[in-house]
Each structure stands twice: as C-alpha cells, then as structure tokens.
Amino acid sequence: AVRPSARLFAVLLLLAAAFAAFNPSVRAADSDTPSRHYQQYCASCHGADRLGGSGPALLPENLARLRKEEALAVIRDGRAATQMAAFGATLKADEIAALGALIYTPVVPAPKWGEADIRASRIQHVDPATLAAKPVFDADPMNLFVVVEGGDHHVSVLDGDKFEPIHRFASRLALHGGPKFTKDGRFVFFGSRDGWVTKYDLWNLKVVAEVRAGINTRNVAVSPDGRHVAVANYLPHTLVLLDGDLNLLKSIDVTDREGKRSSRVSAVYEATPRNAFVAALKDVPEVWEISYDPAAEEIPIGYVHDYKLREGAFVRGYLNPRRTELAQVLDDFFFTQDYSTVLGASREGVGQVVNLDVRRKIADLPLDGMPHLGSGITWEWRGRRVMASTNLKAAEVTVIDLEDWSVVKRIPTRGPGFFLRSHENSRYAFVDSMMSRDAKNILQVIDKQTLEIVRELKATPGQTLAHVEFTRDGRYALASLWEMDGALIVYDAQTLEEVKRIPMKKPVGKYNVWNKTMREEGTSH
Ligand code: DHE
C-alpha cells in the first residue's frame, strides 16, 4: 500500500513536471546548467542575483583580484577558515569550469544599488543610548591599534602599550582601505569591497550599525565629528553620503558635467581644513570636492555636478560636488598636510599637482611606473618638506620636493612596494617589496636624512612582511607577517630589534588611533 504522504509527493512531482513542460522560462533555466548549479549550490550564500550575502558578491568587478584558476580551486576545494564548502565531490571538473565562467560574466543589465536598497540594508546592532560614554577597558584609548585580519575576516583591538589584544570581532568580508576614526578616537568606520560600511564603538567594543552603500566599493571617509561619511563606489557609479549613524543622506550618480559619461570613483578622502570630502573619478578626468559644512558657501553653477541645473546662478554648497576638471584622470592621490594641494597619478604613471583653491593643475609630477601615492608620507629634509611614495611597478621609493615638485631622489629598493611608513619621532621610514617575486619577505629601513637604506628586516623567504604602523610616541614599529599563521612583529624603532610577536590571521593593515586622529605625517590619512 502507498502511504498518503508518498501519494501527495508523487502528485506534486507530476504537477511540477507538467508546469515545467508548459513553462518556457523553466525549460530555458533547466537547459542552462551553470545557472541551475549556481542557484542550487551558491545562491544561498552569494545571493540569487550574485550580489553577495553571507559570502562575497560574485561579479567580475568584485572578483577582479582573484585569478580564474584560483576561483576554480576555491569552488573545488572550498576555502579554509570560512564557510565556503568544497564542491569537488558534487560537481564534475567541466561543471566547475562552467560555474567559474558564469561568475566572471557580467550581469546584464548591470545590477543597481539605489537609495531604497541602501536604506533597506541598514542594520542597527545596538541602541546607542545603551553605550557607555567612556572606555570599558583600562588601556590608553588613544594608543589602541585596530588590526584588520584578512585571513579569517576579523578585526583585533590591540593595547598599544602592552602589545596585547583586548578584543577580537568578526568583520565584513574583505575590508579594504584604512578604517577611518572620529577625532575623539571613539568611533571607527570600516569599508568592505562588497560595499558594507561598519560603524564600530572602540570605547564599548561593539559594532553599532552597518549599511551596504554599494556593490563594489573602494573606500570610506569620515568627518572628524563623525557626522558625515562618504563612500566611493566602482559599482554602481555612485558616491554615497551618509550621516554618522549610517542613514542615507544622498547617493550621487557620478557623471561628467554634461551627464554623458558616468564614472567609477577611484577613492574619497576627508580634508579637515576644507570641511570637505575630496574624491577622484576613475573614468572622467575630474576631482570633486564635497563640503559637509551645512553653512558652506553656494557654488557657482559652472562647477556643480548636476548638468540639469541650468537655471539660476548658484546651488547650495552643502553636499553638492564642486568640480575641478583636468586633462588626465587621477587614480591614486596624496594631499599636502594643509590639504590645499593634491598630488595625483594615473595608473599609467602620469603625475600631476592639482591646487584645490584655484581648481586646476599647477604642475606636472615627474613620475613613472605606477606610483602608489596613497601610501605617501612627508618629513623635513634639509630645511625643505619632502614627500615620498612607493611604486607598484618600479623598485624604488621616490622622494619629491613639495616646494618645486622636483624629484629629490629615487631610492632603489629590493622590489616594487605597497606601503611606506614613518613617524615624526623616528629617523626611519619602513618600506616593503611585497609586489616583487622574491623579496616579499624583506622590509627595508630608510634613513630619512641620508635617504639611504640602512637596514633590512627579514621574514622567512616566501613569506610576506609588509605594512608598518608606529605606536603613538613613535618608539615601536609594528609590521605584518602577512600569513594565515602570521603575526604582528613589534620592532624597537631605534635599535630595529624585534621585541615581540603577536599571533594573527593574515594581518593586513594596522592603524594607531593617535597617529590617525592627529594626522601624523608619517602615516596614511
Ligand atoms: Fe589597496 C588602501 C587602492 C590593492 C591593501 N588601496 C588603499 C587606498 C586605495 C587603494 C585608493 C586608500 C584608501 C583608504 O585608505 O581610504 N588597492 C588599491 C588599488 O587600486 C589596488 C592596487 C587594486 C585593487 O584591487 O583595488 C589595491 N590593496 C590592494 C591589495 O591587493 C591589498 C594589498 C590587499 C587587500 O586586502 O586588498 C591592499 N589598500 C590596502 C590596505 C590599505 C589600502 C591595507 C590601507 C593602507 C593604510 O595603511 O592606510
């Protein structure tokens, strides 16, 4: 005898088959095996629309940093220390290859992430009224380090005097760019490559709120009072402005003046003396300045971003971009300490100096390769202020005179490097060669006065040693042993001897509250 539940199941199966037979859309999906596999195995974590969920977004833009072979290996073998399962036993090699091809294929039409999506994504994790108004720990709150551990997507909070972690929490996937602090050092904002912005209370050691501001994001910037947050997006082409509680204020569609060409946003930074955010566009040669001062002066119509505004002579200055049009795109850039001037470079190495007051290029920069101006630092050298940066393609640190924009010296290094770091109390600057093939494990120490390499600090060959940040007093320099079973290595910044190792999971960047909030000239801003 057949049990009633089995009978019901058989009827449902027949109905489903009949529905599929008469419904062309279902038939089409059935013949599309990769899409079916995607929905069956991937969608629950990566989203039915590939925009991400508990797993990252699987769109070509978001996967740009992952080689296809690596992606196939991840589908086959899974990813250690994450929830990514292995499908090697479930899917055949050609099915995995087809799935790989699918996720590197653009979604057409391009996915949208509009104001309603941003608003709907916001999560309030704790009621701000329940948060204590002073630190819940004994360590110096201005000498904490926030350490981004990329290995298992966590953030550690480190006591910068004792070099001991005081807290560790799960972050969004693939945080990128420096976290940004409020001036009092209480709140820090993180941006993830998938567009999530997280507001964290360092005094209470709690995530306060989160919002998804884009699908593929570059970085975030925060006003010192924490009331305004800006988010630079590649996908969609938007610059998103939030209030300090991560409520949406405005999402600006980024285009040229005529509204004909839209653009990704390379990066956005906060310029305190100007009460403004400054953003550079990747596909249109323009720099935008967006005041977050509600009393900002009005903007003459010629500068405003909105080409539809033909009538009237001025628009409100607050939260409306003011353009500086250039001949060349700026991809990566650096500000002088007073934020009047931007030193920028395109990915092709074309360098230019742009003055934000006169709103035009004022000089060329004699750079080649792929300068990484975002990691630039400044110091005084023979009575002049110089700026130095690494180069992602050339094995050198380039030192530039900030008065006449000439190259003072090209310091040869072991290989192309990513990060350069110092402190005003230290005579040394530390540079990595992490873009090289065989010198990733070597940090080189530059004497800021002689402009010579004076020491090399080495990890085991094959490992990566990079990204230094000093303690608030400049006495110690902390470097990342950028491995899954990695560590922060603490060096005495005078003797250059190792004093401690703190185990961490692939520590990417570390950020000292004092150095960041004081805009220490030896570190990134
Ligand atoms: Fe970054 C900062 C751009 C690849 C780790 N990176 C930045 C900033 C920019 C930038 C514009 C400054 C934003 C800020 O701090 O608010 N990065 C780019 C690229 O264009 C590039 C070359 C290609 C890309 O895929 O985006 C790139 N970056 C990388 C990496 O591959 C790194 C090494 C590893 C990773 O996790 O992505 C990496 N970038 C970082 C880090 C910072 C950063 C750790 C913050 C540095 C700091 O000390 O402030």
Side-chain angles (χ1 to χ4, degrees):
V2 181
R3 278 180 295 128
S5 59
R7 259 205 312 269
L8 182 65
F9 180 71
V11 170
L12 284 176
L13 216 61
L14 272 172
L15 276 175
F19 174 72
F22 288 102
N23 186 328
S25 69
V26 173
R27 268 209 312 276
D30 272 356
S31 65
D32 185 357
T33 310
S35 305
R36 195 158 41 78
H37 283 160
Y38 179 87
Q39 294 305 332
Q40 194 172 351
Y41 300 117
C42 319
S44 59
C45 292
H46 297 280
D49 44 13
R50 291 167 42 201
L51 297 191
S54 59
L58 296 179
L59 301 167
E61 294 84 350
N62 300 58
L63 294 166
R65 302 173 59 253
L66 188 67
R67 285 186 302 120
K68 260 188 196 166
E69 305 84 79
E70 284 177 59
L72 297 187
V74 173
I75 301 173
R76 191 184 59 234
D77 306 328
R79 210 190 249 294
T82 72
Q83 289 168 23
M84 177 66 197
F87 292 93
T90 318
L91 297 169
K92 294 191 223 108
D94 60 333
E95 292 173 330
I96 290 178
L99 208 44
L102 174 92
I103 61 175
Y104 281 88
T105 306
V107 170
V108 182
K112 293 193 165 54
W113 197 256
E115 298 202 337
D117 301 298
I118 298 173
R119 285 203 178 91
S121 71
R122 186 179 175 282
I123 307 164
Q124 185 76 49
H125 288 279
V126 294
D127 177 358
T130 63
L131 296 169
K134 59 181 182 29
V136 296
F137 47 82
D138 292 332
D140 173 2
M142 294 308 277
N143 194 27
L144 298 176
F145 283 81
V146 167
V147 189
V148 172
E149 292 181 71
D152 60 354
H153 309 286
H154 275 67
V155 171
S156 283
V157 181
L158 187 79
D159 176 338
D161 293 306
K162 294 186 179 149
F163 301 125
E164 282 168 10
I166 60 174
H167 189 62
R168 191 171 193 267
F169 62 96
S171 71
R172 288 282 163 182
L173 303 173
L175 299 182
H176 178 243
K180 301 294 156 56
F181 298 83
T182 52
K183 181 81 181 166
D184 57 7
R186 174 169 178 183
F187 295 104
V188 55
F189 295 75
F190 301 89
S192 85
R193 291 209 185 244
D194 279 358
W196 282 97
V197 182
T198 301
K199 175 178 180 176
Y200 186 77
D201 184 334
L202 270 173
W203 291 1
N204 288 276
L205 303 173
K206 282 192 177 136
V207 174
V208 183
E210 289 182 293
V211 72
R212 191 173 187 187
I215 299 172
N216 184 224
T217 291
R218 299 295 291 163
N219 74 330
V220 299
V222 177
S223 62
D225 62 6
R227 291 194 177 167
H228 292 90
V229 179
V231 187
N233 286 330
Y234 265 11
L235 188 68
H237 293 182
T238 52
L239 183 78
V240 173
L241 300 169
L242 307 164
D243 73 11
D245 293 319
L246 303 185
N247 295 298
L248 181 71
L249 293 173
K250 190 171 185 178
S251 174
I252 302 171
D253 291 330
V254 178
T255 69
D256 63 1
R257 189 200 294 259
E258 298 304 319
K260 288 193 178 130
R261 178 134 193 237
S262 77
S263 177
R264 295 168 288 176
V265 185
S266 293
V268 61
Y269 297 95
E270 191 277 328
T272 307
R274 310 181 74 83
N275 286 328
F277 297 115
V278 177
L281 313 190
K282 175 112 178 151
D283 307 303
V284 167
E286 291 185 13
V287 174
W288 284 10
E289 181 169 359
I290 304 125
S291 175
Y292 54 71
D293 176 2
E297 62 178 39
E298 292 184 315
I299 307 176
I301 196 80
Y303 285 118
V304 300
H305 85 286
D306 191 342
Y307 60 95
K308 284 170 251 163
L309 290 172
R310 295 274 179 223
E311 304 299 318
F314 293 91
V315 292
R316 202 171 167 212
Y318 176 61
L319 302 188
N320 270 320
R322 184 185 276 248
R323 297 165 190 275
T324 295
E325 288 171 314
L326 303 167
Q328 301 277 352
V329 161
L330 281 192
D331 209 317
D332 192 11
F333 52 110
F334 172 86
F335 294 90
T336 52
Q337 279 290 100
D338 66 358
Y339 285 87
S340 66
T341 310
V342 174
L343 278 66
S346 71
R347 277 287 178 253
E348 292 72 43
V350 177
Q352 45 188 328
V353 182
V354 177
N355 184 286
L356 290 174
D357 295 323
V358 298
R359 299 189 191 284
R360 62 178 172 79
K361 181 179 101 172
I362 54 166
D364 289 316
L365 268 184
L367 298 170
D368 9 74
M370 197 192 277
H372 194 230
L373 296 171
S375 72
I377 60 170
T378 61
W379 69 89
E380 200 169 305
W381 179 75
R382 297 190 187 165
R384 305 133 87 174
R385 194 143 295 274
V386 294
M387 176 268 190
S389 102
T390 57
N391 196 303
L392 301 180
K393 283 210 177 134
E396 69 171 48
V397 165
T398 322
V399 185
I400 292 166
D401 186 323
L402 286 179
E403 263 168 39
D404 63 7
W405 319 113
S406 63
V407 173
V408 170
K409 185 158 182 191
R410 296 177 189 273
I411 305 171
T413 58
R414 287 279 200 146
F418 231 98
F419 305 109
L420 180 65
R421 213 34 76 82
S422 187
H423 189 285
E424 65 177 338
N425 295 342
S426 173
R427 62 185 290 190
Y428 299 125
F430 292 70
V431 64
D432 62 82
S433 287
M434 70 176 276
M435 301 302 283
S436 74
R437 197 181 291 267
D438 52 11
K440 291 178 201 279
N441 62 320
I442 302 176
L443 269 184
Q444 293 183 291
V445 183
I446 297 170
D447 183 316
K448 291 194 291 187
Q449 291 316 312
T450 63
L451 305 185
E452 301 289 342
I453 306 266
V454 291
R455 186 81 166 257
E456 290 191 335
L457 306 167
K458 295 184 184 172
T460 308
Q463 295 187 323
T464 298
L465 185 60
H467 196 281
V468 168
E469 175 82 303
F470 284 72
T471 46
R472 74 179 268 183
D473 57 8
R475 284 189 58 199
Y476 297 95
L478 281 63
S480 287
L481 185 59
W482 200 302
E483 303 296 324
M484 199 57 185
D485 286 317
L488 289 192
I489 306 184
V490 184
Y491 295 99
D492 182 308
Q494 281 180 344
T495 64
L496 302 176
E497 295 302 324
E498 178 178 333
V499 295
K500 186 166 183 180
R501 260 175 209 231
I502 310 151
M504 299 259 166
K505 294 278 178 219
K506 207 177 193 186
V508 177
K510 67 213 66 64
Y511 310 88
N512 178 273
V513 175
W514 177 268
N515 293 340
K516 293 296 168 202
T517 54
M518 293 299 146
R519 310 249 160 174
E520 198 346 279
E521 68 171 342
T523 193
S524 61
H525 296 169

